[in-house]
Amino acid sequence: MRSGVLTQKLGMTRMYSENGTVVPLTLLSVKDCYVVDVKTIERDGYVAVQLGTALTKPQRLNNAQKQVFVKKELPALRILQECRVSDDAVVPVGEQLRAEHFIVGQYVDVTATTKGKGFAGAMKRHNFGGLRATHGVSLTHRSHGSTGHREFPGKVFKNKRMAGQMGNTQVTQQSLKVLVIDTENQLIGVQGCVPGANKGWVLVRDATKKTLPADLPYPTAKASDNKAVIAETNNNVAEDNIPAHESTENAAE
């Protein structure tokens, strides 16, 4: 079981198959996804890797969070997510995961947070038919009707379909086919739709209900020079944090 990859949803587009059929496509951007920590059985009781993405300024983190990235020589990251892996698929700390982690033709599972729709009634939230339009129904045509029982059990069971918060929940879409791997722009194109809004964070993992190709990079595709990328990123973040008057004085000297 390999690690997943944290990506950012860019939006939907389309492509054409060989026979001219239009195929819906969702583009996911793989950018600045690093392995921040490794969980071991001896220390934590399970095996997993902690992924981080979304570059941020160090001053936006507390001291404990900043020390984690400083000790491991990683840029400051805002989004963290754990992925369970097998013993032989552990990726070392500091490794950057890229779009080459997946290949064209394989199936993946994507996990994201859906769009929040606010408080919704039973007809919109659960596709109920509502009550009758006439014959004694007055001003409650869109209600869900009775929800309880008689004296026994005398309560409404949990998970009863009723009005309430719609959306804003974590959803996993399974068995989406990978159609595009753009190594130059670090993009992954999957067939169909992906939960969540554009610019939302999406965890992409190997599909659990599909047979994986034999030529998948295991445990991951190696980046050309991760240390150089990390050093360049740290320099860029540090330059952004220099006040304007200090940079002017340095230029004058």
Side-chain angles (χ1 to χ4, degrees):
M1 184 169 59
R2 302 192 310 158
S3 168
V5 177
L6 282 174
T7 65
Q8 189 174 31
K9 180 179 176 180
L10 297 182
M12 292 195 68
T13 181
R14 60 183 177 179
M15 62 180 298
Y16 294 92
S17 60
E18 296 179 355
N19 57 5
T21 305
V22 178
V23 179
L25 191 72
T26 302
L27 295 179
L28 305 173
S29 174
V30 184
K31 187 177 181 181
D32 305 318
C33 181
Y34 296 97
V35 177
V36 178
D37 192 15
V38 175
K39 306 293 183 179
T40 60
I41 295 180
E42 295 78 11
R43 187 187 68 181
D44 306 288
Y46 63 98
V47 180
V49 294
Q50 186 183 58
L51 306 177
T53 188
L55 291 176
T56 184
K57 295 181 180 180
Q59 60 262 32
R60 293 181 178 174
L61 304 177
N62 58 40
N63 291 331
Q65 293 172 333
K66 284 189 289 188
Q67 289 302 319
V68 171
F69 297 109
V70 170
K71 290 180 180 179
K72 298 177 180 179
E73 299 181 356
L74 290 172
L77 304 172
R78 181 169 51 89
I79 304 297
L80 298 176
Q81 177 72 45
E82 278 193 10
C83 279
R84 292 289 188 101
V85 297
S86 54
D87 296 337
D88 57 345
V90 175
V91 184
V93 175
E95 187 72 26
Q96 183 181 12
L97 301 181
R98 304 168 62 84
E100 296 91 322
H101 187 76
F102 304 101
I103 63 175
V104 175
Q106 78 163 108
Y107 290 87
V108 294
D109 296 340
V110 296
T111 302
T113 301
T114 59
K115 295 180 181 179
K117 304 292 184 179
F119 190 94
M123 293 182 67
K124 180 177 180 179
R125 190 184 184 199
H126 300 294
N127 198 29
F128 281 13
L131 303 187
R132 302 179 68 176
T134 57
H135 294 281
V137 178
S138 175
L139 304 179
T140 57
H141 307 286
R142 296 182 61 88
S143 67
H144 46 63
S146 176
T147 61
H149 303 270
R150 301 183 67 177
E151 184 178 356
F152 178 81
K155 64 178 182 180
V156 177
F157 289 116
K158 289 184 179 180
N159 302 321
K160 180 70 175 179
R161 292 187 298 171
M162 301 172 64
Q165 167 71 31
M166 182 177 179
N168 195 29
T169 57
Q170 182 174 286
V171 173
T172 298
Q173 191 80 13
Q174 293 185 320
S175 302
L176 299 181
K177 189 175 183 179
V178 177
L179 300 180
V180 175
I181 296 293
D182 188 347
T183 59
E184 181 178 356
N185 299 311
Q186 288 298 300
L187 297 177
I188 301 175
V190 297
Q191 182 177 359
C193 58
V194 171
N198 294 343
K199 298 184 179 180
W201 300 102
V202 181
L203 178 63
V204 185
R205 295 172 291 180
D206 297 333
T208 58
K209 295 183 179 179
K210 294 287 185 178
T211 302
L212 299 178
D215 55 345
L216 274 178
Y218 203 88
T220 184
K222 298 294 183 180
S224 58
D225 191 3
N226 288 336
K227 297 300 181 181
V229 174
I230 294 173
E232 182 182 355
T233 303
N234 286 331
N235 292 335
N236 294 336
V237 173
E239 292 175 0
D240 293 339
N241 296 335
I242 298 176
H245 66 278
E246 292 186 8
S247 60
T248 306
E249 293 176 358
N250 295 335
E253 293 178 358

